[in-house]
Amino acid sequence: LYQYNQEDVKRKLLANELNILNRQQKLIMDKSKMECNDKKELYYYHRPARGVGGDFYYANRVDEDNIVYILADVMGHGMVSNYVVAMIKGAFKVLCHQYKTPDDIMTNLNKLLFDEFDKMGVFTTCLISVFNTKENTLSISNAGHYCPILIKNDGTLIKNINCKKGIPIGILEDTEYESSLINIDELSMVCMYTDGVLEIKNKGKEEYGTVRLEKVLKLNYKYNQEKIVENLKQDLREFSSTDSYDDDIMLVMLKNK
């Protein structure tokens, strides 16, 4: 009985710590929903697989015309990933005021975090974007992540976008990253996402995949962002026959109002 009580206390303490970390993680991201200009707004949906996830998004309006935002998928879950997320956010907030382009921010983010990541044995894939709200251009730097899904105002899906993919952050210290510039005047949506949604499986062990995600976004791109998320969640439930998933789910949408 004594041993059982000891284990019960440990479980409760761990659950309480994870609950605190979960609230901290929400606070890190909650202010990142924003109206960008009279046409576009940023919105995100995050569902951690456990109490604390390794997916991370943060947006910062650095001046009147530019918003810089980051989407990262940290290897692992729980307390370690929460610590890594906090490091990424702190470094990103400093660097996005020091450097103007996403490739410079990404290159210096890797340099700043490499030593700590190397000691911990972690890495993260990452997208950093600079949205010029005056010119309606989006500049993107990619560190081993999926390229965004682009949907035009008429519902056309843009394939084979120029999104140069570098290696994840924390692998090599002296990596130099590149960036790609996209004019988003004729785009209804730019959707960035992590692999959690793609790797959801049905009863036949088939993965949800990029094609199904693209299809849902094409069918729903005219709706507001909350409606898009609700319809995606419904499609995931119908595909997988469950509402419980093994990995974090994160979508970030830069979309017409």
Side-chain angles (χ1 to χ4, degrees):
L1 181 61
Y2 173 78
Q3 185 176 359
Y4 173 82
N5 287 335
Q6 290 292 98
E7 292 299 321
D8 188 50
V9 168
K10 288 179 183 178
R11 282 195 296 270
K12 288 179 179 178
L13 286 172
L14 180 59
N16 184 57
E17 289 177 1
L18 288 173
N19 186 44
I20 292 171
L21 291 173
N22 180 260
R23 292 201 301 270
Q24 289 175 340
Q25 194 171 52
K26 287 180 179 178
L27 287 172
I28 287 174
M29 295 188 282
D30 271 349
K31 295 182 179 180
S32 295
K33 300 174 183 177
M34 65 172 68
E35 292 188 4
C36 302
N37 55 20
D38 59 348
K39 295 181 180 179
K40 305 287 186 185
E41 61 184 354
L42 271 168
Y43 182 88
Y44 78 95
Y45 168 64
H46 178 223
R47 174 175 171 164
R50 300 172 182 83
V52 181
D55 290 2
F56 167 65
Y57 158 70
Y58 183 73
N60 195 355
R61 187 183 288 273
V62 294
D63 56 44
E64 185 177 350
D65 296 332
N66 291 284
I67 295 169
V68 185
Y69 63 99
I70 182 172
L71 172 67
D73 187 356
V74 179
M75 182 191 68
H77 307 276
M79 296 181 186
V80 172
S81 66
N82 189 74
Y83 174 62
V84 172
V85 163
M87 285 196 297
I88 294 172
K89 182 191 176 185
F92 174 75
K93 285 184 70 175
V94 172
L95 294 171
C96 69
H97 286 282
Q98 291 183 339
Y99 300 94
K100 300 298 183 184
T101 63
D103 51 312
D104 283 341
I105 297 171
M106 188 79 80
T107 297
N108 286 280
L109 185 67
N110 181 65
K111 288 179 180 177
L112 196 61
L113 297 178
F114 174 80
D115 187 56
E116 194 76 17
F117 279 24
D118 187 50
K119 290 175 182 176
M120 296 172 65
V122 300
F123 65 87
T124 179
T125 64
C126 188
L127 288 171
I128 294 178
S129 304
V130 176
F131 175 36
N132 186 298
T133 60
K134 185 177 181 181
E135 302 295 332
N136 259 338
T137 58
L138 189 68
S139 185
I140 303 171
S141 185
N142 187 338
H145 203 83
Y146 294 97
C147 293
I149 295 171
L150 308 183
I151 299 178
K152 297 178 68 174
N153 292 326
D154 63 1
T156 304
L157 188 72
I158 299 179
K159 295 281 191 178
N160 302 318
I161 67 168
N162 182 25
C163 182
K164 304 178 182 71
K165 187 181 290 189
I167 65 172
I169 289 176
I171 302 294
L172 294 174
E173 184 172 11
D174 296 322
T175 302
E176 296 288 333
Y177 292 91
E178 300 180 60
S179 61
S180 308
L181 185 66
I182 302 170
N183 189 305
I184 62 172
D185 266 329
E186 297 183 1
L187 296 184
S188 177
M189 176 192 294
V190 178
C191 181
M192 300 178 179
Y193 52 93
T194 57
D195 60 7
V197 65
L198 305 183
E199 295 175 357
I200 291 172
K201 293 181 175 65
N202 61 16
K203 292 181 179 179
K205 303 302 180 182
E206 180 186 9
E207 291 190 343
Y208 189 74
T210 307
V211 173
R212 287 187 177 86
L213 178 59
E214 290 173 344
K215 182 180 179 181
V216 169
L217 294 177
K218 282 186 66 176
L219 290 173
N220 292 277
Y221 77 100
K222 289 185 178 180
Y223 295 129
N224 64 43
Q225 310 209 37
E226 290 88 350
K227 179 69 171 175
I228 294 171
V229 169
E230 285 305 312
N231 288 344
L232 173 63
K233 288 161 67 175
Q234 177 65 28
D235 197 66
L236 291 172
R237 282 193 294 268
E238 292 175 358
F239 173 78
S240 63
S241 302
T242 183
D243 199 26
S244 178
Y245 309 119
D246 294 331
D247 200 358
D248 307 336
I249 297 174
M250 171 76 82
L251 275 82
V252 177
M253 290 177 280
L254 177 63
K255 187 184 176 301
N256 287 346
K257 292 181 180 179

